[in-house]
Amino acid sequence: MDRFDALLLDALQHENRQTAEALSQKVGLSPDACRKRLNRLRAAGYIEADVAILSPAKLGRGLMLVVEVSLQSERPADLDRFKARMLDAPEVMQCYYVTGNADFILILSARDMADYEAFTRRHFFSEANIARFRTSAVMDRVKVGFVMPVEA
């Protein structure tokens, strides 16, 4: 990856709907060169997905929660089962297997506390391998996104 690739990736992180023509003005390459580089970066796995960040409030899912989950057993089969359940749960926006006080950190959305309680009954209380979970309700979405520094 060179400086031009880094500039392209940085520009896309902030607005992924830019045309090759607009990107060419920002990075100093022709539109065709930008298209070729973007195709190469996608094929190489630098760009995992092109997504839209939706408004939870507009969708009626204004309650955002950060949940720490601890399992009783971390055997590979138990970990895989929990990961699969979280992958299938549409409420779970992000799921991280972590070190520290908990085994997993979840970021999820709910319509309200009753909706979240139903989620906990389906995914935590009904699962014998959940030792405990701790929930923090988000009061303000200060920064949302996946933008990270890109260096050549």
Side-chain angles (χ1 to χ4, degrees):
M1 183 166 70
D2 62 15
R3 182 177 69 83
F4 292 113
D5 290 341
L7 290 169
L8 280 169
L9 290 174
D10 187 58
L12 280 183
Q13 285 190 104
H14 296 283
E15 175 54 62
N16 75 340
R17 294 182 60 185
Q18 296 179 70
T19 64
E21 289 73 19
L23 288 168
S24 73
Q25 296 296 315
K26 292 181 179 178
V27 303
L29 293 171
S30 71
D32 193 46
C34 288
R35 280 188 209 81
K36 287 178 183 176
R37 283 175 177 266
L38 288 174
N39 287 338
R40 182 178 46 77
L41 290 166
R42 282 187 172 92
Y46 285 94
I47 300 170
E48 291 183 359
D50 290 294
V51 298
I53 298 174
L54 305 180
S55 167
K58 293 277 187 189
L59 296 171
R61 301 195 64 80
L63 180 59
M64 305 297 297
L65 304 138
V66 179
V67 184
E68 299 176 21
V69 180
S70 298
L71 304 180
Q72 290 192 29
S73 165
E74 288 187 69
R75 292 180 306 201
D78 294 323
L79 290 172
D80 291 345
R81 187 174 61 250
F82 183 79
K83 289 176 184 179
R85 288 188 68 165
M86 295 304 98
L87 282 168
D88 288 341
E91 303 91 341
V92 176
M93 300 167 59
Q94 297 174 51
C95 175
Y96 300 100
Y97 179 41
V98 298
T99 61
N101 294 329
D103 297 313
F104 289 88
I105 302 291
L106 310 176
I107 310 295
L108 58 95
S109 69
R111 289 185 299 276
D112 51 31
M113 279 307 248
D115 189 36
Y116 177 58
E117 181 186 9
F119 175 88
T120 63
R121 288 178 183 268
R122 282 192 315 276
H123 294 285
F124 300 155
F125 291 115
S126 69
E127 174 61 49
N129 194 38
I130 304 293
R132 68 188 159 281
F133 65 95
R134 189 169 79 177
T135 305
S136 297
V138 173
M139 294 174 56
D140 184 14
R141 290 177 15 157
V142 177
K143 183 177 182 179
V144 177
F146 289 98
V147 175
M148 64 179 69
V150 182
E151 299 169 7

